[in-house]
Amino acid sequence: MSTSTPFGHPIRTHFQFSPNYVPLNHGSFGTFPIPVRSTLEQYRTLMESRPDTFIRYTYPPLLHEGRKAIASLVNVDADEIVFVPNATLGINTVLRGMKFEEGDVIVYFETVYGAVEKTVDYVVETTKVEKEMVEAHWPIDDTELVKRFEATVRKINEEGNGKRRVRLAIFDTIVSMPGVRVPFEQLAAKCKQLGVLSMTDGAHGIGHIPLDLGKLQPDFFVSNLHKWLFLPRGLAALYIPLRSQPLIRSSLPTSHGFIPLHPSSRESPLPASAQPPFIAQFEFVGTIDNTNYLCVPSALQFRQDICGGEEAIMQYCIDLARKGGDRAAEILGTEVLDNATGSMRNCAFANVRLPLEIGEGQGMVRESEAGKVGLWIAERAVEEFETFLAAAFYQGHWWWRVSAQVYLELKDIEWGAGVIKELCERVRTGEWSEKAKARL
């Protein structure tokens, strides 16, 4: 499909990057184009011209239009979509909102996002629920991953003799680090088969890969919109289907829209909402500037008119990630993280192994210092090269997570690989650590 503005450096002019900055890490925080910024500024100006009028009367119907647009994009009803600041808060809304009982277990994979695991830890500390982690080291075949998940669930349920059961499973669409696609569709189906509620962490979801939640029918699903849909930070869509809404009685934080089980004489100071009670809870959760929530139509219009539509964007990014990852591995003389079927790479990420070794010898790095090396590489990239390189230590190696996006070209990733190569050479000399220098 042709685009109004060609992908690569020509479309970069629609974004707000510093002239010398090379954005190779879109996956962490995303970015948004100039037309969306103009929309955001217009709403902020409108809000400040008449604060009460805007917040109380103008904002709610505009918010509803944004929710309807996202609902249409993922093929669900608008009354099943609410907006929250980010995926982490969406998952907190579900985990803190559910009423867990003695014997309930939450199951998740070892590559779960760190903040999500800590949320699970908090819920375990404060409620009766327990947790179990599924070990699955990438690269792993999709079929084997689903088998391990099913085996873990069945083992817990069978050994519990009815007193211990898996209540909720958490899994990603795409893991954050390393950036690999997960067979979430198969896992969601397996949850239905096993009678387990599914919480899909789609932090890297909407705008990144095709999603049909109407077909998938997860029990809970959250996706950041500021990462891959070109919206201002922070904004995420939380999908809670009608059948699951009775399980989550409150927004987070609880605010004026909450309806207590026992009648209350406390009335909301806000105008009555035109939305169903569950949706109304999320319209106002305290005073905060949520004008970014109103930019969804603007972002979708940019993606259609300037980029040529969702399919064109996704295909370009996935193709660039594949070509860029392969080329970077060639430059570094290493490899790209992948499984036998290549399913892990069906996304806009590529994970390229760095040419560094763990050990005690000259030019090697102790495993206990692996994290420090990753931080040093990131800092040098920022301070010396006007870019950010997302490097993480996983399964005994460092991996560079390449993020493809429409404003990048293959030569940008090749350049990044050259930077990585230079920095790795400097790591081997011990430059990253005075202590390391002392050992040479």
Side-chain angles (χ1 to χ4, degrees):
M1 181 182 294
S2 62
T3 61
S4 298
T5 302
F7 289 153
H9 292 175
I11 207 168
R12 178 184 164 121
T13 60
H14 290 283
F15 292 85
Q16 306 166 71
F17 300 115
S18 175
N20 296 323
Y21 189 73
V22 184
L24 296 173
N25 186 41
H26 185 95
S28 283
F29 303 115
T31 191
F32 55 99
I34 294 170
V36 176
R37 183 187 68 181
S38 298
T39 300
L40 178 66
E41 291 173 348
Q42 290 170 12
Y43 282 127
R44 284 178 172 168
T45 299
L46 186 61
M47 178 171 63
E48 295 313 312
S49 66
R50 295 178 178 84
D52 275 283
T53 301
F54 183 89
I55 294 171
R56 296 174 187 272
Y57 301 101
T58 307
Y59 174 81
L62 292 172
L63 175 65
H64 181 55
E65 291 304 311
R67 290 193 305 101
K68 284 200 302 183
I70 294 299
S72 176
L73 186 65
V74 296
N75 189 31
V76 296
D77 193 282
D79 290 342
E80 299 176 312
I81 290 283
V82 295
F83 287 165
V84 292
N86 50 61
T88 300
L89 195 144
I91 289 174
N92 269 263
T93 300
V94 173
L95 291 182
R96 294 172 186 245
M98 288 186 65
K99 184 178 181 180
F100 292 106
E101 300 175 352
E102 191 78 37
D104 285 348
V105 180
I106 298 173
V107 168
Y108 61 92
F109 290 93
E110 63 176 348
T111 48
V112 68
Y113 188 59
V116 174
E117 184 173 30
K118 289 191 174 182
T119 303
V120 171
D121 288 338
Y122 174 80
V123 174
V124 168
E125 289 182 5
T126 55
T127 73
K128 298 177 180 180
V129 75
E130 303 172 44
K131 66 173 185 176
E132 289 284 348
M133 184 176 70
V134 181
E135 291 189 7
H137 305 310
W138 272 268
I140 185 173
D141 183 73
D142 288 355
T143 302
E144 177 62 24
L145 184 75
V146 176
K147 282 183 179 179
R148 292 190 188 184
F149 171 76
E150 180 176 7
T152 300
V153 173
R154 290 190 182 280
K155 181 180 179 181
I156 293 170
N157 290 346
E158 291 169 4
E159 291 181 353
N161 293 319
K163 296 182 180 179
R164 194 167 182 258
R165 59 159 187 162
V166 177
R167 180 85 184 285
L168 179 71
I170 304 173
F171 46 86
D172 298 286
T173 51
I174 298 168
V175 175
S176 176
M177 278 289 193
V180 297
R181 179 160 174 163
V182 177
F184 63 93
E185 302 96 334
Q186 297 177 45
L187 290 169
K190 185 60 65 175
C191 283
K192 287 184 174 63
Q193 179 186 334
L194 297 171
V196 174
L197 294 172
S198 62
M199 171 75 248
T200 309
D201 181 357
H204 301 277
I206 296 178
H208 189 152
I209 54 176
L211 288 169
D212 186 339
L213 299 187
K215 178 180 179 181
L216 185 66
Q217 283 293 300
D219 296 298
F220 306 100
F221 187 103
V222 66
S223 176
N224 285 318
L225 304 181
H226 61 253
K227 286 184 182 285
W228 296 94
L229 204 66
F230 298 160
L231 277 152
R233 293 170 290 273
L235 173 55
L238 175 59
Y239 166 69
I240 304 182
L242 295 176
R243 68 178 185 277
S244 299
Q245 289 179 8
L247 300 174
I248 310 298
R249 296 200 56 250
S250 175
S251 61
L252 187 65
T254 301
S255 194
H256 297 296
F258 178 70
I259 301 176
L261 292 176
H262 303 288
S264 171
S265 59
R266 180 76 65 177
E267 294 184 358
S268 172
L270 301 170
S273 174
Q275 304 307 318
F278 181 83
I279 300 299
Q281 291 192 73
F282 292 84
E283 284 186 331
F284 184 91
V285 290
T287 303
I288 188 172
D289 183 357
N290 282 337
T291 46
N292 59 324
Y293 287 20
L294 310 182
C295 295
V296 170
S298 177
L300 293 179
Q301 182 177 2
F302 175 86
R303 292 170 70 85
Q304 182 62 47
D305 295 348
I306 305 301
C307 299
E310 298 300 313
E311 183 179 350
I313 294 169
M314 293 176 190
Q315 193 59 58
Y316 180 85
C317 292
I318 291 173
D319 288 347
L320 181 59
R322 285 188 173 273
K323 294 175 183 176
D326 292 343
R327 182 71 182 110
E330 182 181 352
I331 291 170
L332 296 175
T334 60
E335 62 183 330
V336 179
L337 187 66
D338 201 2
N339 57 13
T341 61
S343 62
M344 290 167 40
R345 296 183 66 185
N346 289 331
C347 63
F349 285 140
N351 304 277
V352 184
R353 182 167 61 82
L354 272 58
L356 294 172
E357 295 184 26
I358 289 293
E360 296 288 336
Q362 186 170 346
M364 296 182 176
V365 178
R366 293 173 179 168
E367 186 166 356
S368 61
E369 297 175 318
K372 295 178 182 178
V373 168
L375 291 174
W376 183 85
I377 289 173
E379 290 171 357
R380 289 301 92 209
V382 168
E383 294 183 13
E384 298 180 27
F385 297 96
E386 279 273 50
T387 191
F388 184 88
L389 301 170
F393 190 73
Y394 178 71
Q395 292 296 303
H397 300 285
W398 288 267
W399 300 89
W400 171 32
R401 187 191 72 182
V402 178
S403 292
Q405 193 46 264
V406 295
Y407 49 69
L408 292 174
E409 298 179 357
L410 180 60
K411 60 184 176 182
D412 295 314
I413 299 174
E414 292 175 330
W415 173 85
V419 172
I420 284 275
K421 186 173 184 179
E422 176 184 330
L423 292 175
C424 286
E425 290 171 353
R426 289 162 62 179
V427 167
R428 288 193 291 271
T429 68
E431 180 185 337
W432 69 276
S433 168
E434 290 299 322
K435 291 181 180 179
K437 284 183 179 181
R439 296 200 307 271
L440 295 176

